[in-house]
Every structure is written in structure tokens, then in C-alpha cells.
Amino acid sequence: MTNDTVIEEPTQELLEREGDIAADYIEGLLDIADLDGDLTLDVKHGRAYVSVEDESDSLRVLSAPETVQALQELTRIAVQNQTGQFSRLILDVAGSRDTRRRQLEKLVDHAVEKLDDGASQASLPAMSSYERKLVHDIVAEKGLVSESYGDGVERHTVIRRR
């Protein structure tokens, strides 16, 4: 007897519901903080995406990567409390995800310089699973190989040539 756990992909309907619940939660937080924001909901790659934008730059205070990560975790918990299902939703505040991707691209470029200088591999700092996924995508686009090592908050990515 095997102990393989089959993880079912969430349905489009569940992901849309997650987005709606998350949007309500984020709107409540914005109201408490007296901040304005326009929310956009989307479903892609098997995840609900919630983006919060504002023309006045008032959301800048919430767009630091650590803050967005914390807000995302709180929002996931709020969604899970209502759906009874683990949520993998992605939260973007004031373009924070694009900003973080650019930062990760620079980090990967620096690691590639180490490889160009003769290093056999280059380790990146520990980061979230979402950030590691972005790094793996960036590394693959550059024709290199990456693997994640470590556990929990110490999990990090190592880059090497093929």
C-alpha cells in the first residue's frame, strides 16, 4: 500500500471564490488603514491573483516585499477560514511583484557573474517558495540549472551551469 497523496487542482470556481474572499479581506484592511486601492482579480496558472493599485502612491508603504508577503499570508488564512481549503493565492500591491522580479533578476545576474568568473555554483539567499519559483524561471531562461536546498525559512537556491 502506498501513501501517495493526490493533490487536486482547484477548480476555476473555487479560485474565483478565493479571489472574491481575498478582495473583501484586503478592502477591509485598506479601510482600517484609511488607504485607497483599486483591486483587480484574475485566475492564472492554477492560482487566484489579487492586485491592488492606486494612482496616488499611497500604497507604497505596503509594497515592500516583506510586507506584501505578510499580507499575502494573512489573506490566505482569511480565505482558508472561509473555504476550508489551503489557498495559494498571490497578492500584488502597487506593482510589488514586478519590482521583486526585477530585483531577483539582478540577483541572478550577479550569481551568473560568479559562474563566469570560474565558480562551480552560486548560492542565493533564502527566500519564499514563490520567489524561488521566479528564480528557477529566470535561471532557466538564461540556460542554466537551479535547485533548492534547505528546509523552512533557510530554503535557498543554488545556480550552476548545465
Side-chain angles (χ1 to χ4, degrees), residues 35-93:
L35 295 171
D36 292 322
D38 297 321
L39 278 77
T40 304
L41 308 178
D42 198 2
V43 172
K44 50 188 172 184
H45 310 295
R47 292 181 181 218
Y49 280 74
V50 179
S51 298
V52 186
E53 298 292 332
D54 181 40
E55 301 283 328
S56 71
D57 202 33
S58 67
L59 294 175
R60 187 172 36 115
V61 68
L62 298 178
S63 65
E66 298 82 14
T67 306
V68 174
Q69 184 69 28
L71 288 172
Q72 178 176 279
E73 291 306 315
L74 289 172
T75 305
R76 285 177 173 178
I77 291 168
V79 169
Q80 183 174 338
N81 278 339
Q82 288 196 34
T83 65
Q85 303 282 326
F86 175 75
S87 173
R88 296 175 50 223
L89 78 86
I90 299 296
L91 176 64
D92 181 34
V93 178

